[in-house]
């Protein structure tokens, strides 16, 4: 179960999911989640994994994934921190259920 950080080519608007205690409370609109420091687009997901094409302009960013299974409960997974450039972000929960996706950013 690996979260990718391979270089990609597309960029667009960012979206983010809001989750607490394993429950998705809602998703932020692309306009409200946009940052001048990174942008993501071409978001794709199914019940187990997700991908997005992201452009990091400054600072560092990484993929953030929240998964769930009955034995383990809700748990988070993160990709490696990447710096400036275009990247393919994503997360894979394997057989577990995908709960939420997002991007972490820091200066």
């Amino acid at each position: 179960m690996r979260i990718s950080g391979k270089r990609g080519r597309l960029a667009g608007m960012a979206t983010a999911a809001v989750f607490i205690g394993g429950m998705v409370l809602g998703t932020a609109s692309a306009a409200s989640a946009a940052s001048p420091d990174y942008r993501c687009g071409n978001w794709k997901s199914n019940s187990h994994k997700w991908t997005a094409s992201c452009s990091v302009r400054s600072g560092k960013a990484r993929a953030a994934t929240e998964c769930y299974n009955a034995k383990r409960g809700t748990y988070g997974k993160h990709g490696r921190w990447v710096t400036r450039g275009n990247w393919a972000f994503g997360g894979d929960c394997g057989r577990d259920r995908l709960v939420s996706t997002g991007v972490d950013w820091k200066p």
Side-chain angles (χ1 to χ4, degrees):
M1 291 192 249
R2 188 176 141 231
I3 297 176
S4 69
K6 297 178 184 175
R7 288 196 178 263
R9 295 198 183 269
L10 299 175
M13 299 298 285
T15 62
V18 178
F19 53 87
I20 294 178
M23 296 183 63
V24 177
L25 300 179
T27 57
S29 69
S32 68
S35 165
D37 305 303
Y38 75 89
R39 293 200 183 277
C40 297
N42 196 28
W43 292 76
K44 296 178 183 175
S45 65
N46 62 29
S47 59
H48 302 283
K49 63 184 178 180
W50 69 278
T51 60
S53 299
C54 298
S55 176
V56 179
R57 294 188 181 114
S58 68
K60 296 179 180 182
R62 68 179 179 180
T65 305
E66 188 176 46
C67 306
Y68 173 83
N69 76 29
K71 286 185 179 181
R72 220 174 144 181
T74 302
Y75 61 96
K77 298 175 72 173
H78 297 91
R80 67 183 175 92
W81 289 104
V82 295
T83 56
R84 291 179 59 142
N86 296 320
W87 303 90
F89 278 22
D92 190 340
C93 295
R95 293 182 177 179
D96 298 341
R97 183 171 49 95
L98 177 65
V99 177
S100 65
T101 66
V103 175
D104 293 335
W105 180 87
K106 68 180 180 180

